[in-house]
Amino acid sequence: MIALRRILFIALLVVAAAIAALFAFNNPERISVDIGVARLDGVPASVAFATAFALGWCFGVASTAFALLRLSADRRRLRKELRMAEAEAHSLRSLSLQDAD
C-alpha cells in the first residue's frame, strides 16, 4: 500500500512538472509585474504564475496551521475542564449522606 502511494505521488509530481514545462514553453513572453511597492519589468509569465501559485500555497498552509493551532488550544482547554469536572463529580460522590445535610 505504501509503495502504491509513493508511486502515485511520484507520478503526480512528474505530471505537475510536465504541465509547468508546457506552460512555460507556451508562454515565453515577458510581462511587467506591479507588486505595490515596486514594478518588475521583463519577468517571464511562467515565473510570475509559479510565484503567485507558491505564495498562495504558502498562505493556505499558514492559515491551515493557524486554524489547527487554535483547535489544539481549544482541545487542551476542554480536556482540562473535563478533568476538573470529573474530579468534582468524584469528590461529590465520595461524600457520605450525613455530610450532605
Side-chain angles (χ1 to χ4, degrees):
M1 185 66 172
I2 294 174
L4 180 62
R5 185 178 296 168
R6 191 171 291 161
I7 290 170
L8 287 174
F9 180 72
I10 291 171
L12 182 65
L13 286 178
V14 169
V15 168
I19 290 172
L22 183 65
F23 180 80
F25 180 73
N26 287 332
N27 295 296
E29 64 271 356
R30 296 185 173 272
I31 59 173
S32 60
V33 179
D34 187 3
I35 58 172
V37 295
R39 183 179 181 99
L40 305 172
D41 292 323
V43 177
S46 58
V47 171
F49 181 75
T51 303
F53 182 78
L55 288 174
W57 182 82
C58 290
F59 179 74
V61 167
S63 63
T64 301
F66 178 72
L68 288 175
L69 286 174
R70 193 172 62 205
L71 285 174
S72 177
D74 286 344
R75 190 174 178 195
R76 266 191 310 253
R77 180 184 54 81
L78 289 172
R79 280 188 180 162
K80 182 179 179 183
E81 289 177 8
L82 177 63
R83 280 194 304 270
M84 291 175 58
E86 286 175 340
E88 183 179 1
H90 185 280
S91 68
L92 289 174
R93 278 190 218 119
S94 66
L95 288 175
S96 67
L97 290 177
Q98 293 173 354
D99 291 339
D101 291 331

